[in-house]
Amino acid sequence: MFEGKKPIKNERLTIVNYLNSYYATIDQEHLYEIDPLVVGLLKYCDGKRKYEEILKELAEKTGFDESTLKPVVDEIFMEITEMGFIKWIE
């Protein structure tokens, strides 16, 4: 689904840490509480790394196998893509 593509954050995405909770918005009207895991994953969405490279880096950092991480990472990427937080470039 995401293979060969590079995720990049929406330039309007704003993330706020308030009382140890993270909130994100792209339009200043709708505010979403997001998990710290999502915040960490968004740091990889710079348009420079392909999906496969991100998955590999996450596997190396966490010690989990890529095949174990893939369903979780895919679900998060699908959600934040639908919310407009990221887009995908070739």
Side-chain angles (χ1 to χ4, degrees):
M1 173 183 305
F2 303 116
E3 286 79 6
K5 297 180 181 176
K6 300 174 186 177
I8 187 166
K9 284 184 276 192
N10 184 326
E11 59 203 30
R12 297 180 321 208
L13 177 64
T14 302
I15 298 173
V16 177
N17 180 351
Y18 181 71
L19 299 176
N20 294 322
S21 293
Y22 291 95
Y23 300 91
T25 183
I26 56 172
D27 61 10
Q28 307 303 319
E29 291 181 25
H30 300 91
L31 192 64
Y32 303 92
E33 185 171 2
I34 58 173
D35 191 274
L37 179 63
V38 174
V39 175
L41 191 56
L42 282 166
K43 291 178 182 178
Y44 289 92
C45 300
D46 56 10
K48 297 177 182 175
R49 292 175 267 218
K50 291 183 180 179
Y51 165 81
E52 297 86 355
E53 295 169 321
I54 294 170
L55 197 58
K56 183 178 180 180
E57 283 187 47
L58 289 172
E60 290 171 357
K61 285 189 177 192
T62 63
F64 288 104
D65 187 65
E66 286 182 42
S67 62
T68 302
L69 289 174
K70 188 177 184 321
V72 176
V73 171
D74 284 356
E75 183 177 339
I76 293 170
F77 272 146
M78 282 191 290
E79 286 184 30
I80 62 177
T81 300
E82 288 173 8
M83 296 171 91
F85 292 177
I86 63 170
K87 64 180 180 179
W88 294 86
I89 57 177
E90 299 293 326

